[in-house]
Amino acid sequence: MTIISHKHRFIFLKSRKTAGSSVEGWLAPLLGQMDLVITSDENRRLPVLSTPHPVTRLAAIERPFKKALRLVRPGFRLDQHSEAMEVRRSVGEDVWRSYYKFSIERQPWDRLLSLWSWRQHRLKREISFDHFLDRIESNDGDPLVQYWSNIPAYADESGSIIVDTVLDYSKLTCELEGVAKRLRLPLSVDDLPRHKSGIRVKSRSVESLSREQIQRVSRICRAEIEMFGWEEPKCMQQALAG
């Protein structure tokens, strides 16, 4: 989901598997009538009898109608994962320069495990993590691995970061406190909802990855690893040996 808040002068660009839906729910109650929320299809406003930000209001009533509407009106869609350059072109340079722009990133070993678990659940397909990495490397358009990289959410085509801040998922509550303070938002991280959690089983942790899998992810995600200076995690065998 992308939020463009003219009321509070910020732009939030949603990245995948970084608690973006939870942050959406956290920010939405403060938005003004003229603010833009590009959200998932089931959260998008209905043509009639709809509230401005249904992600937090009457969602249990509206979502079933919106899901049904998608079946009969294919055009009833918006992309919740808009790329930074698309949003920049849409809002114009004056807004882009003057608004506070932020996104979230997560270290890739954990993020790809989370994406793998979520996509299997969402698409009802079972696939090994190694096969999942194969699909990413083959780049053949398989929906299982589409948009696997978060870089377009906060960088331009050359890979240069163009938002003001990329929050660290591992320190998210602290980072969001900083956002709320900077924007003077009357929000507490204690109220941050937990959406889309509980899908991944506990055994699918970074520590469970083999040394070869860790190195494969490092090769696939070399750009963001260099961008944020992440270090490879230790596999279970290394941890025991250490």
Side-chain angles (χ1 to χ4, degrees), residues 109-152:
W109 303 275
D110 191 40
R111 181 177 62 80
L112 287 187
L113 274 173
S114 181
L115 184 64
W116 166 60
S117 295
W118 172 250
R119 289 282 173 81
Q120 286 186 101
H121 167 77
R122 185 70 181 270
L123 299 176
K124 295 179 172 57
R125 289 174 57 184
E126 288 193 17
I127 184 173
S128 71
F129 187 62
D130 284 314
H131 191 192
F132 180 77
L133 297 180
D134 289 341
R135 306 314 297 169
I136 291 177
E137 291 181 320
S138 67
N139 192 27
D140 61 0
D142 188 336
L144 195 74
V145 296
Q146 276 188 323
Y147 311 114
W148 61 270
S149 174
N150 278 335
I151 291 177

Side-chain angles (χ1 to χ4, degrees), residues 73-114:
R73 288 183 58 189
F76 189 71
R77 298 178 184 278
L78 278 178
D79 183 11
Q80 61 173 317
H81 293 281
S82 300
E83 296 182 1
M85 289 300 294
E86 294 174 338
V87 176
R88 182 175 182 172
R89 286 189 289 266
S90 176
V91 300
E93 288 299 319
D94 288 342
V95 168
W96 184 261
R97 282 195 301 267
S98 60
Y99 284 23
Y100 177 65
K101 306 165 291 294
F102 65 102
S103 187
I104 309 169
E105 187 56 289
R106 180 178 186 174
Q107 59 98 331
W109 303 275
D110 191 40
R111 181 177 62 80
L112 287 187
L113 274 173
S114 181

Side-chain angles (χ1 to χ4, degrees), residues 6 17 23 37 62 70 131 146 150 153 155 165 179 186 195:
H6 301 295
K17 308 315 298 173
V23 175
V37 183
E62 291 190 0
R70 284 160 53 195
H131 191 192
Q146 276 188 323
N150 278 335
T165 306
V179 170
H195 296 317

Side-chain angles (χ1 to χ4, degrees), residues 17-64:
K17 308 315 298 173
T18 57
S21 296
S22 296
V23 175
E24 173 186 20
W26 186 65
L27 292 169
L30 295 183
L31 300 180
Q33 293 287 336
M34 300 305 293
D35 290 348
L36 177 63
V37 183
I38 305 174
T39 185
S40 55
D41 291 336
E42 59 265 31
N43 287 336
R44 188 183 173 191
R45 293 187 67 182
L46 287 166
V48 294
L49 303 176
S50 186
T51 52
H53 306 297
V55 67
T56 55
R57 300 183 178 90
L58 306 181
I61 298 173
E62 291 190 0
R63 286 182 179 181

Side-chain angles (χ1 to χ4, degrees), residues 13-16 18 81-85 96 103-106 108 111 147-163 166 219-228 230:
L13 296 114
K14 181 180 181 181
S15 51
R16 289 174 172 81
T18 57
H81 293 281
S82 300
E83 296 182 1
M85 289 300 294
W96 184 261
S103 187
I104 309 169
E105 187 56 289
R106 180 178 186 174
R111 181 177 62 80
Y147 311 114
W148 61 270
S149 174
N150 278 335
I151 291 177
Y154 50 79
D156 61 18
E157 292 90 344
S158 68
S160 298
I161 295 175
I162 58 173
V163 300
V166 180
R219 290 194 299 271
I220 291 169
C221 301
R222 183 177 61 182
E224 54 263 50
I225 290 171
E226 293 178 352
M227 197 179 294
F228 298 103
W230 284 307

Side-chain angles (χ1 to χ4, degrees), residues 177-189:
E177 282 182 349
V179 170
K181 184 176 181 180
R182 175 170 184 158
L183 296 172
R184 299 181 180 179
L185 302 176
L187 290 171
S188 169
V189 292

